[in-house]
Amino acid sequence: QVQLQQWGAGLLKPSETLSLTCSIYADSLSDCFWSWIRQAPGKGLQWIGEINHNGKTNYNPSLGSRITVSLDTTKSQVSLKLTSVTAADTAVYYCAREWYYGSGEKFDYWGQGSLVTVSS
Amino acid sequence: SSELTQDPAVSVALGQTVRITCQGDSLRGFYASWYQQKPAQAPVLVIYGKNNRASGIPDRFSGSRSGNTASLTITGAQAEDEADYYCHSRDSSGNHPSFGGGTKLTVL
């Protein structure tokens, strides 16, 4: 069984940096990716980035160089940083485990979600 | 706009069968997975792969694929199935995960 518990800042001003952390309670951090997914109010899901236990990252091109995902294997924590936020970054942010099975992938465990609001 | 296309809304009468579809080029080579999301809750994995139910998912949920279209079928829809459903696969480059825009299912 895997559990993901998130925390981080809820209210930001434009141009500030979003910072969220997700604690991973799992037998292993290997053999999968750890992803961040967001959902703007009333909108659909958007995958924004991922990292594996070797530090390999993959980001949604729409976020450019603003996003950094990191993994602290000693603390079993995955973190998200998003710089220069705007109102468009207002969303519920989820961490999730991403498991590949060859011909597909699945997000099989999700955190509880963290609402981040960007407002002046 | 999403590279995986879903109908925005679908309705079904209680106890009847409903199919929710997801179209995208990536689905020709990559299976979809499906998520159920109820208001103010995190998404829950429902179906993945050829037709695999996630743990705890009732057997009235099933999945299939034909060409560039993946489908989630609920056979005998229940009131508790009313939710938003999202498909997930890869974008057209195959390099990044991608979600469909979601389908709001109403059980009448």
Side-chain angles (χ1 to χ4, degrees):
Chain A
Q1 185 73 331
V2 174
Q3 292 187 23
L4 302 173
Q5 188 168 0
Q6 310 175 214
W7 71 90
L11 180 60
L12 297 172
K13 290 182 167 52
S15 81
E16 292 185 333
T17 295
L18 179 158
S19 182
L20 296 174
T21 300
C22 174
S23 283
I24 303 166
Y25 299 94
D27 289 340
S28 173
L29 301 181
S30 307
D31 302 324
C32 61
F33 275 76
W34 303 95
S35 274
W36 288 95
I37 295 158
R38 71 181 182 181
Q39 186 171 34
K43 302 296 184 183
L45 301 170
Q46 181 188 31
W47 172 83
I48 59 174
E50 64 187 11
I51 189 169
N52 72 0
H53 73 285
N54 290 323
K56 176 180 169 61
T57 55
N58 188 19
Y59 298 132
N60 189 316
S62 69
L63 295 173
S65 60
R66 296 197 298 130
I67 182 172
T68 302
V69 177
S70 57
L71 180 64
D72 186 333
T73 57
T74 63
K75 295 182 179 179
S76 291
Q77 292 177 349
V78 57
S79 297
L80 168 69
K81 287 194 187 304
L82 187 64
T83 61
S84 304
V85 297
T86 70
D89 297 310
T90 293
V92 174
Y93 288 75
Y94 297 99
C95 59
R97 188 179 82 161
E98 183 179 357
W99 188 270
Y100 291 92
Y101 50 88
S103 52
E105 63 194 10
K106 58 180 178 175
F107 295 107
D108 54 358
Y109 294 97
W110 295 67
Q112 79 275 23
S114 298
L115 175 61
V116 175
T117 302
V118 181
S119 174
S120 56
Chain B
S1 62
S2 176
E3 298 186 47
L4 297 172
T5 302
Q6 297 183 241
D7 291 329
V10 171
S11 62
V12 61
L14 185 66
Q16 296 303 301
T17 297
V18 62
R19 176 174 292 181
I20 298 170
T21 61
C22 174
Q23 282 190 301
D25 288 340
S26 65
L27 295 173
R28 294 186 186 278
F30 211 77
Y31 282 114
S33 57
W34 291 93
Y35 304 84
Q36 178 192 70
Q37 187 180 34
K38 296 182 179 179
Q41 295 184 20
V44 172
L45 176 68
V46 176
I47 293 285
Y48 65 97
K50 192 173 183 180
N51 181 20
N52 301 295
R53 285 189 307 278
S55 177
I57 300 301
D59 60 6
R60 63 179 178 271
F61 289 87
S62 62
S64 61
R65 181 181 69 177
S66 178
N68 72 337
T69 301
S71 300
L72 172 70
T73 300
I74 307 174
T75 304
Q78 302 299 303
E80 60 264 33
D81 300 333
E82 187 163 287
D84 293 328
Y85 290 86
Y86 293 91
C87 64
H88 148 232
S89 183
R90 288 259 145 172
D91 64 8
S92 57
S93 74
N95 293 328
H96 309 107
S98 182
F99 288 94
T103 297
K104 182 176 183 61
L105 175 66
T106 300
V107 180
L108 304 172

